[in-house]
Amino acid sequence: IIKIFFYVVGEYCSRLENNIIDRLMNLLNNIKKCSEHCLGIIINSLFKIGVQKNYVCNKVIDFMKKNLNSYHFDISQRCKEYLIIL
């Protein structure tokens, strides 16, 4: 359910409310365990939001920085690439 939710949020973030990032960050803080695939979808979604909504870019960058040293190479690499773009 989390994968589908974040996929949809990333695709349609331009149509969402301005305070969506606060709600997403609250949700992310409450997720205790997440698979590599799920985290990849979350990172993609947050990147799309950060690109389209400039006022949330700092929160997205903070989340990416937290995952820079992930023991999953794919997650770490994706965060590095997205941070360069943002």
Side-chain angles (χ1 to χ4, degrees):
I1 293 176
I2 292 173
K3 293 177 191 177
I4 295 170
F5 172 75
F6 275 95
Y7 176 79
V8 170
V9 167
E11 293 298 316
Y12 298 102
C13 65
S14 61
R15 299 181 182 179
L16 297 174
E17 299 173 4
N18 289 339
N19 64 349
I20 189 67
I21 195 69
D22 294 326
R23 292 179 183 180
L24 292 176
M25 291 302 166
N26 285 337
L27 178 63
L28 289 173
N29 290 333
N30 291 323
I31 295 175
K32 302 296 181 206
K33 199 171 186 181
C34 187
S35 69
E36 178 183 3
H37 185 255
C38 183
L39 188 57
I41 291 172
I42 291 169
I43 289 170
N44 285 341
S45 176
L46 291 177
F47 172 71
K48 291 176 184 178
I49 293 169
V51 168
Q52 292 186 17
K53 297 182 179 272
N54 291 332
Y55 63 91
V56 300
C57 199
N58 289 334
K59 292 182 181 182
V60 172
I61 288 172
D62 289 342
F63 183 80
M64 298 287 182
K65 285 181 179 178
K66 287 180 187 175
N67 289 287
L68 263 179
N69 297 320
S70 173
Y71 59 91
H72 297 293
F73 177 75
D74 184 45
I75 299 300
S76 176
Q77 184 67 29
R78 193 175 299 185
C79 287
K80 289 175 189 173
E81 291 170 358
Y82 288 166
L83 282 171
I84 292 169
I85 295 170
L86 290 173

